[in-house]
Amino acid sequence: VFGADYPTPDGTAIRDYLHIKDLAQAHILALRHLEEGKPSNTINLGTGKGTSVFEIIETIEKITKLTVPCVLMDRREGDVPQAVADTKKAKEILLFEPKFSDLDTIIESEWLSLQKQTFFN
């Protein structure tokens, strides 16, 4: 964990995590938008909500029933305490709303996918 001394509730960096299914859906909506002759635009994709590194680790441990080895390191130069998407344009222009991006769903789907890979069998 790079930094546990940020000015955040648990001291770790906060980021906005988006499920790959939601990311793909947003790109489909963007392509349809352009196919309809509507103007190109720069649009942030995300949930508009942040999750800390420690929250991710806790959720992984809850879902997998495994302990995540964790080493605390110094912050990396240039890392900001919090980065969360401004989803206003995605909602207004693309009518995009994430459906699979709650943290439990993201972790559960990745865990199920990893279990199907041969190195876990």
Side-chain angles (χ1 to χ4, degrees):
V1 176
F2 291 100
D5 61 346
Y6 287 101
T8 62
D10 68 14
T12 63
I14 293 174
R15 300 291 181 265
D16 190 341
Y17 296 94
L18 189 65
H19 194 288
I20 190 68
K21 287 182 180 181
D22 286 327
L23 181 63
Q25 181 61 31
H27 280 80
I28 290 167
L29 293 170
L31 287 171
R32 288 183 184 153
H33 175 84
L34 294 173
E35 285 175 341
E36 293 169 2
K38 296 176 181 171
S40 179
N41 209 319
T42 302
I43 298 175
N44 287 317
L45 297 175
T47 63
K49 299 174 188 147
T51 303
S52 77
V53 174
F54 282 159
E55 288 174 313
I56 291 172
I57 291 170
E58 289 172 14
T59 304
I60 292 169
E61 290 180 339
K62 176 184 78 174
I63 290 169
T64 66
K65 308 289 190 254
L66 299 171
T67 299
V68 174
C70 181
V71 177
L72 297 180
M73 307 286 288
D74 290 337
R75 292 186 200 183
R76 295 177 298 190
E77 186 177 340
D79 275 354
V80 296
Q82 184 170 335
V84 177
D86 178 351
T87 61
K88 184 178 177 183
K89 281 187 182 180
K91 289 177 183 178
E92 290 177 359
I93 296 171
L94 302 178
L95 305 177
F96 172 69
E97 288 284 345
K99 296 178 183 168
F100 304 99
S101 292
D102 63 279
L103 192 56
D104 282 358
T105 300
I106 292 172
I107 302 298
E108 285 172 357
S109 65
E110 183 61 18
W111 179 236
L112 289 173
S113 176
L114 284 171
Q115 289 177 322
K116 291 178 184 177
Q117 295 180 17
T118 56
F119 58 84
F120 273 98
N121 297 324

